[in-house]
Amino acid sequence: VKFNNCAGNKGVRYETNSLDFKVRADGTLYAAHHVQMPSKQLILVVTAWDPQTLGRWETIVRFLVPEKSQHNGHKPKGRKLAAGELGQQQSDTLLPWRQHQSANGLRRQKRDWVIPPINVPENSRGPFPQQLVRIRSDKDKEIHIRYSITGVGADQPPMEVFSIDPVSGRMYVTRPMDREERASYHLRAHAVDMNGNKVENPIDLYIYVIDMNDNRPEFINQVYNGSVDEGSKPGTYVMTVTANDADDSTTANGMVRYRIVTQTPQSPSQNMFTINSETGDIVTVAAGLDREKVQQYVVIVQATDMEGNLNYGLSNTATAIITVTDVNDNPPEFTTSTYSGEVPENRVEVVVANLTVMDRDQPHSPNWNAIYRIISGDPSGHFTVRTDPVTNEGMVTVVKAVDYEMNRAFMLTVMVSNQAPLASGIQMSFQSTAGVTISVTDVNEAPYFPTNHKLIRLEEGVPTGTVLTTFSAVDPDRFMQQAVRYSKLSDPANWLNINATNGQITTAAVLDRESDYIKNNVYEATFLAADNGIPPASGTGTLQIYLIDINDNAPELLPKEAQICEKPNLNVINITAADADIDPNVGPFVFELPSVPSAVRKNWTITRLNGDYAQLSLRIMYLEAGVYDVPIIVTDSGNPPLYNTSVIKVKVCPCDENGDCTTIGAVAAAGLGTGAIIAILICIIILLTMVLLFVVWMKRREKERHTKQLLIDPEDDVRDNILKYDEEGGGEEDQDYDLSQLQQPETMDHVLNKTPGVRRVDERPIGAEPQYPIRPVIPHPGDIGDFINEGLRAADNDPTAPPYDSLLVFDYEGSGSTAGSVSSLNSSSSGDQDYDYLNDWGPRFKKLADMYGGGEED
């Protein structure tokens, strides 16, 4: 056999699918030992494979063996044997159903052959159908046999890819094959007689589509994005690109190799990256990546099959975008070594100076963001340096107020760094520190009170004009010659005065601890101290005066009123006292009765309970009911003590067995005599009698009104009445009457001449009719039943009533009004008609009188 792998066949090895035959390195096929050929035909599969690339190639070798005992050699495919009938046998004919016969003439058991695969190249140009192989059974000499094939590609989708001549057994492929669509087919060959009976067992046929290099490698993405840190060492992994080839990956048709075609820009070298030809891994191959110089590289990668052979392989390209990521390899540097600023004293959150820096790293990243620190010159922490997130500048800000009198200037040393630490091997620059000079300007500061709040203690009641204290303020502006003046800001009781020059506090009134302006014995006032600077400044101070209590309030007796029984018993009056002062100027109290008038001590007595309470009771056995003013002297325990004579109103009244005042007794105790009480009771009885008589008279008048007949005809009655119009008949049998009779009559002739029959319910009866009772204008609930019963009896005795249920008329409204329609009335402003007489017709015509009588408009 001959083979050429287009690379000199270096290292190529050969194999066969049979242990009986071997192939030498030069392609010679030989028998490995003595072989007994079992049939007229032998098919071998010879394989050539490359151990380095693992590529494999196959071909089929057919041997035609004569039936004689020896054979003189082999013939390659497509050649014929010259001997007898074998010379007529085609080389592509398969005899899978071979019958073997022994030497004694007995037929041996049939054994099926293993048919080698049938290889069909894809994308064949035809012509089609193209014969693949011929299948025969050795029984076709005895009987007529029909051949068929089944399986995917024959009678299963895809249909009719393969076909077979049922008579000759030749199998064909009907169209070009595509290995990427289907790489192999498994068919079964069948042999039956003319009656459809199976002649041979089905034989498996394996058809393999031989791959052709008809597909280019396809990248998964057309654009790949990767990144690598600047300053990376050679060999640093960047990214992986991948291309797939639809061809057979076990052959060179599907083996893809990669290479870099171009790199843009070619700085600092044209070969900054390399790619693994088999895996597609892109790595750095040279040093010098610097983001500050080149931020991005565009690399064109080519993928080629046939193991990268540009002459025979198919290629495709993709773009790899490699971004050089930033590392902190550039320390921040101040643009100048010194900065200056100015700040007024006593101001906070003021930006004094802006510190500008330069950093070549990627903006707005941790490698670029600056952090500032004050390393010297501010031991008290008056300043801080904040970073502007947009410009990255340092803003020197006052966070603690500075005092011009303490520090007139500051010399700060500020250092700048990044959020991210510097990359390995990068040192801080000497330009990363700078000096900041800050000058403090003097401003007019407000005077302040050193002791604020100031507390003093004194007794209440000191006389007016007493000097209490000196409440002075201090002006912090030592370098300014300014005068301070004082004034009151808050003095609720207006008790104090302050000297405008020296701040001396004096009393303007007597200070009273019991005043409503005192809270917890403390009086509080606020004063103002102002300088004469430009602009003037002022400060406030609070003075608290603690007032010590003196005994300046006499006690008051409690309660002011009480009641007691007219006879001595357990009913007594508990009394106590209230004092506005505080301890020790209050209790214990002394309660006593005055000696004048003498009746007080004669009728009453006081019993002491404790230091705060006593009991008042009757001394005599009986005291007439009434109200008595009992004076009592109450003395406190102050030094000196104060006393007060208080009067308690005591109501003396008769009591029941429980000791409670009776009602009559309470009235008597209120100061009314017995005659007055009897007069009041008589008046009440007379008033009740008059009310009762009036009610009886009203009941009687109402009854007479119900029993009396109306003096006027109901038709002429102008008062409001309830009239019923919608009463219904007795049923369907009552509906047989002439509806035309319900029309409004124009004259009374047709009524007078009307034949007896059903009459209208809204007409006055003509002739004799039963006398129905007259319904009262205002019916009484007790008379309604009698009224209905009388009407029922009259209807039952009426000889003209129809024999069926009919409507009974109890109210008659007349046959019509001769006054015509009220629509003829209209309003006129001519004034020709005088309607003032409507006011004389009563309240029912008040509305008309207001409309036409010319009354005052509402």
Side-chain angles (χ1 to χ4, degrees):
V1 292
K2 294 182 179 180
F3 174 73
N4 183 8
N5 68 348
C6 304
N9 291 352
K10 184 178 181 180
V12 174
R13 299 180 184 180
Y14 300 96
E15 295 177 352
T16 66
N17 64 340
S18 174
L19 299 176
D20 297 334
F21 298 90
K22 295 183 178 180
V23 183
R24 294 187 179 93
D26 60 355
T28 302
L29 182 67
Y30 65 96
H33 53 266
H34 182 73
V35 179
Q36 180 67 36
M37 305 302 294
S39 64
K40 296 180 181 180
Q41 178 176 256
L42 175 62
I43 299 177
L44 296 178
V45 177
V46 180
T47 302
W49 66 283
D50 189 344
Q52 297 180 353
T53 63
L54 300 180
R56 301 180 67 89
W57 297 266
E58 295 179 351
T59 187
I60 298 176
V61 177
R62 295 185 179 91
F63 290 96
L64 298 180
V65 183
E67 291 183 354
K68 295 182 180 182
S69 59
Q70 74 278 357
H71 60 274
N72 296 326
H74 69 274
K75 297 291 182 178
K77 66 178 182 178
R79 303 295 298 275
K80 296 182 181 180
L81 292 177
E85 63 182 12
L86 291 178
Q88 305 298 326
Q89 182 73 31
Q90 297 293 332
S91 63
D92 58 352
T93 301
L94 302 180
L95 297 174
W97 303 286
R98 180 73 176 176
Q99 298 292 339
H100 303 280
Q101 189 170 4
S102 63
N104 58 7
L106 296 177
R107 184 181 298 273
R108 293 190 299 176
Q109 183 179 3
K110 179 174 64 177
R111 181 180 66 184
D112 292 341
W113 280 46
V114 178
I115 305 301
I118 302 172
N119 295 323
V120 180
E122 66 172 335
N123 302 325
S124 175
R125 296 184 179 181
F128 296 100
Q130 182 179 4
Q131 182 176 340
L132 298 179
V133 70
R134 182 182 179 189
I135 301 174
R136 283 189 56 229
S137 172
D138 53 4
K139 293 183 180 181
D140 60 353
K141 296 180 180 179
E142 302 172 2
I143 59 176
H144 294 286
I145 295 178
R146 293 292 181 267
Y147 302 96
S148 63
I149 55 176
T150 60
V152 176
D155 60 345
Q156 298 178 20
M159 307 286 288
E160 299 179 355
V161 176
F162 303 97
S163 63
I164 189 171
D165 190 325
V167 177
S168 63
R170 290 184 175 87
M171 192 172 74
Y172 302 92
V173 59
T174 62
R175 58 185 182 222
M177 308 294 290
D178 187 356
R179 192 203 67 84
E180 288 71 40
E181 179 180 345
R182 191 176 184 88
S184 64
Y185 296 86
H186 178 201
L187 304 178
R188 306 200 78 184
H190 305 269
V192 298
D193 58 14
M194 300 301 293
N195 295 324
N197 298 318
K198 181 174 70 173
V199 176
E200 304 286 357
N201 291 329
I203 296 298
D204 293 326
L205 299 177
Y206 293 93
I207 302 173
Y208 294 102
V209 182
I210 300 174
D211 183 46
M212 304 293 289
N213 190 18
D214 58 344
N215 290 280
R216 293 180 180 274
E218 295 291 340
F219 282 95
I220 297 177
N221 300 311
Q222 283 301 311
V223 178
Y224 290 84
N225 291 283
S227 61
V228 62
D229 290 340
E230 62 175 331
S232 297
K233 297 179 180 180
T236 302
Y237 172 80
V238 179
M239 62 166 51
T240 299
V241 296
T242 303
N244 297 323
D245 197 316
D247 292 326
D248 189 357
S249 61
T250 62
T251 67
N253 297 336
M255 295 181 180
V256 179
R257 298 294 182 265
Y258 303 93
R259 74 185 187 94
I260 293 178
V261 179
T262 61
Q263 167 195 306
T264 305
Q266 297 180 359
S267 174
S269 171
Q270 62 181 357
N271 296 318
M272 295 298 296
F273 305 94
T274 186
I275 188 170
N276 187 305
S277 62
E278 295 184 0
T279 63
D281 294 341
I282 299 178
V283 297
T284 60
V285 72
L289 290 173
D290 190 353
R291 190 203 65 85
E292 286 72 38
K293 295 181 180 179
V294 179
Q295 298 183 4
Q296 190 178 82
Y297 290 90
V298 178
V299 176
I300 305 299
V301 180
Q302 184 182 57
T304 306
D305 58 14
M306 296 302 291
E307 299 179 286
N309 192 319
L310 298 178
N311 295 325
Y312 302 101
L314 301 177
S315 300
N316 215 334
T317 60
T319 301
I321 299 177
I322 302 174
T323 301
V324 181
T325 56
D326 183 47
V327 298
N328 195 11
D329 57 346
N330 295 281
E333 298 177 349
F334 285 104
T335 57
T336 182
S337 59
T338 58
Y339 298 88
S340 62
E342 187 178 80
V343 58
E345 64 175 336
N346 301 324
R347 296 282 299 277
V348 293
E349 297 301 324
V350 177
V351 177
V352 179
N354 289 332
L355 312 182
T356 57
V357 296
M358 180 184 65
D359 195 322
R360 292 188 296 273
D361 291 320
Q362 184 175 357
H364 304 289
S365 68
N367 300 329
W368 179 81
N369 294 336
I371 298 177
Y372 300 88
R373 289 187 302 115
I374 299 175
I375 59 178
S376 65
D378 185 25
S380 300
H382 292 282
F383 304 94
T384 187
V385 184
R386 298 168 181 169
T387 304
D388 189 318
V390 178
T391 63
N392 212 28
E393 294 180 354
M395 299 179 294
V396 181
T397 307
V398 181
V399 294
K400 182 179 179 183
V402 295
D403 189 356
Y404 175 82
E405 286 72 26
M406 299 293 295
N407 299 95
R408 299 188 183 184
F410 292 85
M411 297 294 296
L412 308 180
T413 302
V414 181
M415 185 178 68
V416 63
S417 60
N418 293 124
Q419 287 182 352
L422 291 175
S424 178
I426 305 299
Q427 301 296 327
M428 289 292 294
S429 172
F430 70 93
Q431 296 180 352
S432 296
T433 59
V436 181
T437 303
I438 300 175
S439 300
V440 181
T441 59
D442 190 17
V443 297
N444 184 24
E445 299 177 80
Y448 67 93
F449 292 87
T451 55
N452 193 19
H453 301 33
K454 184 175 182 178
L455 177 65
I456 60 174
R457 302 170 63 92
L458 72 154
E459 289 185 349
E460 64 173 328
V462 295
T464 302
T466 302
V467 177
L468 302 182
T469 184
T470 299
F471 197 25
S472 59
V474 176
D475 192 346
D477 296 316
R478 293 178 297 172
F479 304 100
M480 298 182 183
Q481 301 299 325
Q482 298 179 145
V484 178
R485 298 188 65 82
Y486 303 91
S487 61
K488 286 196 303 183
L489 186 63
S490 173
D491 183 12
N494 201 22
W495 285 345
L496 305 175
N497 288 326
I498 186 170
N499 189 296
T501 304
N502 57 17
Q504 187 178 69
I505 306 295
T506 57
T507 59
V510 177
L511 279 64
D512 185 6
R513 192 200 64 84
E514 290 74 32
S515 171
D516 293 336
Y517 298 104
I518 302 298
K519 305 297 182 183
N520 298 324
N521 301 327
V522 175
Y523 180 74
E524 190 172 274
T526 305
F527 298 93
L528 185 71
D531 61 19
N532 56 353
I534 300 175
S538 61
T540 60
T542 301
L543 177 65
Q544 293 179 333
I545 304 174
Y546 185 88
L547 295 177
I548 301 173
D549 184 46
I550 61 174
N551 192 18
D552 57 347
N553 290 279
E556 292 288 337
L557 183 68
L558 294 176
K560 299 296 185 182
E561 295 181 356
Q563 67 180 17
I564 194 172
C565 296
E566 60 186 3
K567 296 181 180 180
N569 54 15
L570 298 178
N571 191 356
V572 296
I573 300 172
N574 293 323
I575 59 176
T576 185
D579 197 324
D581 294 323
I582 60 176
D583 191 67
N585 297 319
V586 287
F589 300 101
V590 176
F591 302 91
E592 57 184 346
L593 295 173
S595 57
V596 178
S598 59
V600 175
R601 291 191 175 187
K602 177 182 178 182
N603 296 334
W604 306 92
T605 183
I606 292 180
T607 304
R608 180 183 175 89
L609 296 179
N610 53 37
D612 296 328
Y613 291 91
Q615 289 182 343
L616 176 66
S617 60
L618 286 174
R619 177 184 292 272
I620 59 178
M621 299 303 296
Y622 174 80
L623 184 63
E624 184 180 359
V627 178
Y628 296 87
D629 292 335
V630 180
I632 299 176
I633 301 173
V634 184
T635 306
D636 61 19
S637 299
N639 186 17
L642 295 180
Y643 69 91
N644 181 31
T645 301
S646 299
V647 176
I648 179 172
K649 288 184 176 296
V650 180
K651 296 180 181 179
V652 180
C653 59
C655 297
D656 54 16
E657 62 274 7
N658 296 324
D660 298 328
C661 285
T662 60
T663 304
I664 298 177
V667 174
L672 296 178
T674 305
I677 295 175
I678 295 174
I680 292 174
L681 293 178
I682 293 175
C683 291
I684 293 174
I685 293 173
I686 294 174
L687 181 62
L688 292 176
T689 303
M690 293 177 64
V691 171
L692 181 61
L693 292 175
F694 180 76
V695 171
V696 172
W697 179 77
M698 290 296 295
K699 289 287 186 180
R700 183 174 180 181
R701 182 183 178 189
E702 183 178 0
K703 185 174 180 181
E704 292 177 353
R705 184 189 304 171
H706 291 168
T707 57
K708 186 171 67 174
Q709 294 283 339
L710 286 175
L711 299 179
I712 60 176
D713 189 76
E715 182 178 0
D716 298 329
D717 190 3
V718 296
R719 292 174 297 177
D720 294 338
N721 293 308
I722 298 176
L723 306 178
K724 297 182 63 179
Y725 294 92
D726 56 343
E727 295 184 328
E728 298 178 357
E732 294 179 356
E733 64 275 7
D734 296 326
Q735 305 301 319
D736 188 15
Y737 50 81
D738 186 6
L739 295 179
S740 63
Q741 300 300 325
L742 299 178
Q743 304 298 325
Q744 177 69 31
E746 296 296 337
T747 62
M748 298 298 296
D749 296 336
H750 69 287
V751 179
L752 298 176
N753 300 328
K754 184 172 63 175
T755 59
V758 179
R759 61 184 175 84
R760 289 174 48 148
V761 298
D762 59 344
E763 295 177 7
R764 177 184 294 276
I766 303 301
E769 60 180 10
Q771 296 298 320
Y772 292 93
I774 298 176
R775 184 175 180 178
V777 177
I778 303 178
H780 188 274
D783 299 334
I784 293 177
D786 297 337
F787 179 82
I788 294 176
N789 292 331
E790 292 178 7
L792 181 62
R793 285 193 298 270
D796 292 338
N797 298 326
D798 186 4
T800 62
Y804 48 82
D805 293 341
S806 61
L807 181 65
L808 300 181
V809 180
F810 294 92
D811 287 324
Y812 179 74
E813 298 184 41
S815 60
S817 174
T818 59
S821 174
V822 295
S823 62
S824 61
L825 298 176
N826 55 14
S827 61
S828 174
S829 59
S830 60
D832 297 337
Q833 180 69 30
D834 184 12
Y835 295 98
D836 292 339
Y837 62 88
L838 293 176
N839 293 320
D840 301 331
W841 287 11
R844 297 184 183 276
F845 293 87
K846 185 178 185 304
K847 186 66 177 178
L848 288 176
D850 293 340
M851 294 174 58
Y852 297 98
E856 294 181 0
E857 295 182 356
D858 293 338

